[in-house]
């Protein structure tokens, strides 16, 4: 792009290494970059401002704390109280983060929005833009699978072809002030990482109740169902001859079911909120991620009157209500749905 036809892009600039290098790469590619810091009420804008000043970018701060509270924090709290395990980043992206970026883009007349996610946008077989996984192990397309397909043509992910180590080296090479800043692994609105304490600070949480086995025998006392997730082994505090795992959470009874783990393998999952991102026929073979990890399972996708369902061609461990099922064909993200249930070993 020449200096007279540079296209504007609004970049979500958090002040971390990824978004800072994304700003650098966009500028090198000839974009007119407008940096936007999304303020959730916990501070932290100064690192982003420093990067923007270093790169000579216009910088803006937008308060998204109320939207985050309504769209992410309240559902997060409600999910744990209902025995589900929420995935707040996947909920935030389509309801809070990207809408704020698009609003700023409209204000400055920018046709594109960018973030430092490790994902790629590629043309599909029909020419329409598709969401694809990042080129390396640090792929983050899973967390973007709730974005509407209509947005994909306006998205730019400048780090999609890079490995994490390459991005950090680029930051060092350019002398960015955040080059050695540690990566953030926490949920942004729970910076101390203790989600159970955060839930308790908000108000009423489930009281302690019984740990039981599959036959209903009481094995001990749990701390409250919000402390547990399906498949969990650590932190149970129950002496046993073999390892115990959380097999089921029953909020209506305030009980947590423990087992030896043999009943955690599922042969089907189903859910709600099907979000199509690329052409996909009911009955087609796909691969499936059931959590934000590298593990994928071959499956057959079905879009039934009751909602999306995936018949797993190999057993998958501990699909968990509240988490996201993301479907792939090769590198292409085909769509996603929220998991509400699973058929496990011995069930129909």
């Amino acid at each position: 792009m020449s200096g007279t036809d540079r296209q504007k892009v609004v970049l979500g600039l958090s002040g971390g290494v990824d978004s800072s290098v994304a700003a650098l790469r966009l500028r090198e590619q000839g974009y007119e970059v407008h940096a936007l810091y999304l303020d959730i009420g916990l501070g932290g804008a100064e690192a982003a401002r420093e990067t923007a000043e270093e790169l000579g970018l216009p910088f803006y701060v937008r308060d998204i704390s109320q939207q985050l509270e309504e769209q992410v924090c309240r559902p997060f709290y409600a999910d744990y109280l209902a025995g589900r395990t929420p995935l707040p980043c996947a909920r935030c992206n389509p309801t809070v983060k990207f809408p704020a970026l698009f609003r700023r883009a409209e204000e400055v007349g920018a046709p594109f929005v960018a973030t430092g996610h490790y994902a790629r946008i590629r043309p599909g077989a029909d020419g329409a833009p598709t969401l694809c996984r990042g080129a390396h192990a640090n792929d983050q397309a899973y967390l973007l699978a709730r974005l509407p397909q209509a947005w994909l043509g306006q998205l730019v992910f400048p780090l999609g072809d890079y490995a994490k180590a390459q991005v950090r080296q680029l930051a060092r090479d350019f002398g960015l002030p955040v080059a050695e800043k540690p990566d953030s692994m926490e949920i942004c609105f729970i910076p101390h990482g203790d989600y159970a304490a955060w839930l308790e600070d908000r108000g009423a949480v489930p009281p302690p109740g019984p740990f039981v086995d599959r036959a209903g025998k009481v094995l001990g006392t749990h701390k409250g169902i919000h402390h547990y997730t399906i498949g969990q082994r650590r932190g149970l505090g129950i002496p046993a001859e073999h390892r115990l795992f959380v097999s089921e959470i029953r909020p209506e009874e305030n009980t947590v079911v423990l087992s030896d783990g043999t009943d955690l393998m599922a042969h089907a999952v189903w859910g709600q909120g099907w979000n199509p991102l690329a052409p996909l026929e009911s009955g087609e073979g796909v691969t499936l991620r059931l959590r934000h990890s590298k593990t994928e399972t071959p499956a057959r996708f079905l879009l039934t009157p009751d909602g999306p369902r995936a018949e797993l061609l190999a057993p998958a461990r501990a699909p968990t209500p509240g988490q996201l099922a993301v479907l792939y064909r090769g590198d292409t993200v085909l769509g996603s749905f929220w998991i509400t249930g699973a058929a496990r070993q011995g069930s129909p």
Side-chain angles (χ1 to χ4, degrees):
M1 301 177 195
S2 71
T4 58
D5 64 358
R6 292 192 307 161
Q7 291 183 300
K8 292 181 182 178
V9 61
V10 169
L11 169 71
L13 186 64
S14 68
V17 176
D18 293 337
S19 64
S20 298
V21 173
L24 173 64
R25 292 292 300 126
L26 289 167
R27 195 189 66 168
E28 289 177 342
Q29 291 167 9
Y31 286 98
E32 179 183 322
V33 183
H34 292 248
L36 177 64
Y37 179 80
L38 300 177
D39 184 2
I40 66 170
L42 297 178
E46 288 311 307
R49 189 184 304 276
E50 187 176 355
T51 294
E53 290 176 353
E54 177 77 15
L55 297 177
L57 309 179
F59 181 74
Y60 184 78
V61 177
R62 170 153 285 157
D63 183 350
I64 60 167
S65 56
Q66 187 58 39
Q67 294 94 328
L68 187 75
E69 168 63 22
E70 294 173 358
Q71 299 294 332
V72 181
C73 296
R74 289 179 192 170
F76 183 87
Y77 176 78
D79 276 346
Y80 268 111
L81 268 59
R84 297 184 290 268
T85 303
L87 187 64
C89 291
R91 185 182 294 274
C92 179
N93 282 326
T95 62
V96 181
K97 182 173 185 174
F98 281 84
L101 294 171
F102 277 113
R103 282 194 296 273
R104 185 58 180 162
E106 184 176 359
E107 292 165 359
V108 302
F112 299 107
V113 156
T115 67
H117 283 99
Y118 291 87
R120 295 178 291 179
I121 300 294
R122 295 286 186 267
D126 59 357
T130 61
L131 175 65
C132 296
R133 71 177 90 225
H136 296 274
N138 41 288
D139 161 57
Q140 292 178 311
Y142 175 89
L143 294 174
L144 301 171
R146 298 304 295 170
L147 297 180
Q149 199 281 333
W151 292 0
L152 300 185
Q154 296 175 264
L155 300 182
V156 181
F157 299 125
L159 304 187
D161 291 320
Y162 289 87
K164 183 73 179 188
Q166 292 174 301
V167 167
R168 193 168 288 280
Q169 188 58 50
L170 285 171
R172 295 190 189 103
D173 293 345
F174 193 79
L176 289 178
V178 297
E180 304 306 327
K181 185 177 181 179
D183 294 327
S184 175
M185 302 301 291
E186 299 90 6
I187 298 169
C188 70
F189 55 88
I190 310 179
H192 52 68
D194 188 345
Y195 79 88
W198 181 89
L199 293 169
E200 290 159 4
D201 287 343
R202 283 184 69 91
V205 294
F211 279 126
V212 300
D213 64 16
R214 278 291 175 191
K217 178 183 176 182
V218 175
L219 302 176
T221 302
H222 66 69
K223 297 182 291 184
I225 64 169
H226 58 292
H227 286 271
Y228 307 96
T229 186
I230 303 299
Q232 179 178 333
R233 178 173 67 88
R234 298 181 185 277
L236 302 181
I238 301 296
E241 296 179 357
H242 53 75
R243 293 190 299 177
L244 293 174
F245 300 84
V246 174
S247 175
E248 186 181 351
I249 298 172
R250 298 173 179 169
E252 67 283 354
E253 302 171 6
N254 195 35
T255 60
V256 176
V257 180
L258 304 182
S259 75
D260 62 4
T262 56
D263 59 350
L264 288 175
M265 303 306 291
H267 56 81
V269 295
W270 53 84
Q272 61 188 16
W274 171 240
N275 183 49
L277 289 175
L280 174 63
E281 298 291 333
S282 182
E284 187 173 340
V286 299
T287 57
L288 185 71
R289 282 192 188 181
L290 299 171
R291 56 182 52 83
H292 190 207
S293 71
K294 300 175 185 178
T295 303
E296 290 187 24
T297 302
R300 187 168 68 96
F301 172 71
L302 300 170
L303 195 54
T304 77
D306 295 326
R309 180 184 177 96
E311 301 288 349
L312 307 181
L313 305 183
R317 185 180 182 278
T320 303
Q323 293 286 290
L324 195 62
V326 178
L327 284 64
Y328 298 82
R329 183 190 300 117
D331 286 340
T332 300
V333 179
L334 302 172
S336 67
F337 61 87
W338 294 110
I339 298 170
T340 60
R344 295 198 200 156
Q345 184 173 335
S347 63

